[in-house]
Amino acid sequence: MAIHNICVFCGSNSGLDPAFSEKTVALGQYLAANDYQLVYGGGDHGLMGKVAKATMDAGGRVIGIIPHFLVARELAFKDVTTFIETRTMTERKEKMLHLADAFIVLPGGFGTFEEFLQMLSWSQMDIHQKPIALYNIDGFYDDLVAMLQKTADLGFAPEANLDLFINGHDLDEIFAGFHDFKHVLPPKYTN
Ligand code: AMP
């Protein structure tokens, strides 16, 4: 499937490693330069604000999607191409899923993990067939990847389901992974 819209999940904080912000800005610039539209959670703070502003500043297109109750709390960034307010978090996530052709998960907090794991879980249930890439900047996601491997090793997920996400360390690896991605599901129960 051709990729036009890329949904980025990331922290509403920026994190303490300057590489997180640098790579986030570079991602926004890359999306704009390659005519991918950014879909994201509509926030103004942290890596969320940085990826949106970098994409807009570089002449790209951005869809921000945020529930009403977070507009004040996360300080919505409204200066985007399309700004959408939803009633609930669930409606937001469904809209993000509907619009996205692929997902990139930057470093972030609990909300980012929830978003990644929800999309991974929905992928293994065949609710969607879209590629998901962790952007594993400075090894931020090494422990999560190890936990997912352990989950397969101990029989709670088929080993093949580890191929439903890309563990990307740079943009070349992520976009090559998108290009090669095939959504293949083994039988759900292995034991
Ligand atoms: P965080 O990674 O915790 O900074 O959160 C990043 C994004 O995830 C923000 O847009 C939050 O609105 C969103 N988020 C936070 N908590 C949740 C949750 N329980 N479910 C889904 N998204 C969440």
Side-chain angles (χ1 to χ4, degrees), residues 10-12 48 70 74 89 92-93 108-112 114-115:
C10 59
S12 53
M48 295 177 73
L70 279 184
E74 292 198 341
M89 295 289 277
R92 176 211 234 178
K93 202 168 308 142
F110 304 161
T112 304
E114 193 273 351
E115 291 166 333

Side-chain angles (χ1 to χ4, degrees), residues 40-45 48 64-79 83-89 92:
Y40 90 113
D44 187 42
H45 279 192
M48 295 177 73
I65 309 177
I66 187 164
H68 297 307
F69 83 96
L70 279 184
V71 169
R73 204 190 304 167
E74 292 198 341
L75 289 178
F77 177 52
K78 296 190 173 174
D79 208 3
F83 182 75
I84 300 172
E85 283 190 43
T86 62
R87 277 175 298 122
T88 62
M89 295 289 277
R92 176 211 234 178

